[in-house]
Amino acid sequence: MSGELKKMEIFSYSDEKFETLEDTFTALLNPENYSQKYQVKYAEEQSSGTSGMQLKFDKIEPQTMEFEFLFDQTGALAGTEPSENGVEDNIESFKALTLGYDGNIHRTRYLKLVWGTLLFKCCLENLNVTYKLFKPDGTPLRATVTASFKEFKEDERRVAEENSNSPDLTHLRTVKDGDYLPIMVHNIYGDKKYYMQVARFNELTSFRNIEAGQSITLPPLSKSTP
């Protein structure tokens, strides 16, 4: 329903395919804002005798996102009631979901952040708790948690994005003017010697008989070798 309030949720999984759901967190209040960080890493190389450093591309770091969550047990907010333990139980539950060590997988769990159009697969990077309001005996009644999450990509997605020319993937290429099958094969497999196998796979009468606009399938290397 349009205009319906949707609370941000965090889903905790014990497998990297995000199939085994273990726990769920629903924000008391939706964040007022969140930040996204993108970082490109360069190898620092400087030749002897030069005045500047050459920026040599190394990799694109996984995206990070940062959110601030409010925890309140004063009873002042709708849907909350005063608690003898204040926000401590809420904080511990949040830490168990995002930061807790899972002995079955020997690491912290995989997380999925969902809010509106946002769907972010990630793992917790760091967490900072700030206590803001207290009972006379020092029990915290209100706190904010600033949490930073680092993007997680499944192996299949990561490999596909990092190396779209991987010989272990199937590739579909459209022939352009001037394309030559052995060169197309070399660009994918790193060796043009497989061009005859690719020609047979595509049922070409001749490897020279390719035309602009024609689709050529280059199968995984294991399928293109004799």
Side-chain angles (χ1 to χ4, degrees), residues 72-92:
D72 188 290
Q73 288 295 337
T74 63
L77 298 178
T80 66
E81 296 181 0
S83 170
E84 287 295 323
N85 294 327
V87 295
E88 286 293 353
D89 291 342
N90 305 99
I91 298 295
E92 289 305 312

Side-chain angles (χ1 to χ4, degrees), residues 109 111 171-172 196:
R109 291 178 182 158
L111 307 173
H171 303 272
L172 183 64
M196 289 302 295

Side-chain angles (χ1 to χ4, degrees), residues 5-22:
L5 177 64
K6 295 288 187 181
K7 295 290 187 70
M8 180 177 178
E9 295 181 292
I10 301 178
F11 300 92
S12 175
Y13 297 84
S14 58
D15 67 296
E16 62 181 31
K17 293 185 179 297
F18 296 86
E19 295 175 346
T20 307
L21 180 63
E22 299 291 349

Side-chain angles (χ1 to χ4, degrees), residues 27-120:
L28 177 62
L29 295 176
N30 284 327
E32 292 184 357
N33 56 63
Y34 60 85
S35 63
Q36 295 175 292
K37 180 181 179 182
Y38 303 88
Q39 184 176 358
V40 180
K41 188 173 183 180
Y42 296 93
E44 298 182 355
E45 296 182 357
Q46 184 170 353
S47 300
S48 178
T50 62
S51 59
M53 183 177 295
Q54 181 183 10
L55 294 178
K56 185 177 181 181
F57 176 80
D58 183 11
K59 61 183 177 180
I60 299 176
E61 296 282 0
Q63 178 190 167
T64 59
M65 299 191 73
E66 185 174 282
F67 296 83
E68 184 177 270
F69 301 98
L70 174 68
F71 293 84
D72 188 290
Q73 288 295 337
T74 63
L77 298 178
T80 66
E81 296 181 0
S83 170
E84 287 295 323
N85 294 327
V87 295
E88 286 293 353
D89 291 342
N90 305 99
I91 298 295
E92 289 305 312
S93 295
F94 185 82
K95 288 167 59 179
L97 182 143
T98 59
L99 182 63
Y101 181 84
D102 190 323
N104 293 323
I105 57 176
H106 307 292
R107 52 157 297 148
T108 57
R109 291 178 182 158
Y110 305 92
L111 307 173
K112 185 187 294 184
L113 278 55
V114 179
W115 184 28
T117 58
L118 172 69
L119 194 161
F120 188 61

Side-chain angles (χ1 to χ4, degrees), residues 171-205:
H171 303 272
L172 183 64
R173 295 289 185 267
T174 300
V175 178
K176 300 178 182 178
D177 287 330
D179 275 347
Y180 185 52
L181 186 61
I183 300 301
M184 295 174 68
V185 169
H186 181 274
N187 289 339
I188 296 298
Y189 303 124
D191 195 321
K192 64 181 180 181
K193 68 180 181 181
Y194 303 109
Y195 71 89
M196 289 302 295
Q197 289 92 322
V198 173
R200 286 196 295 268
F201 187 89
N202 287 270
E203 299 182 348
L204 302 176
T205 56

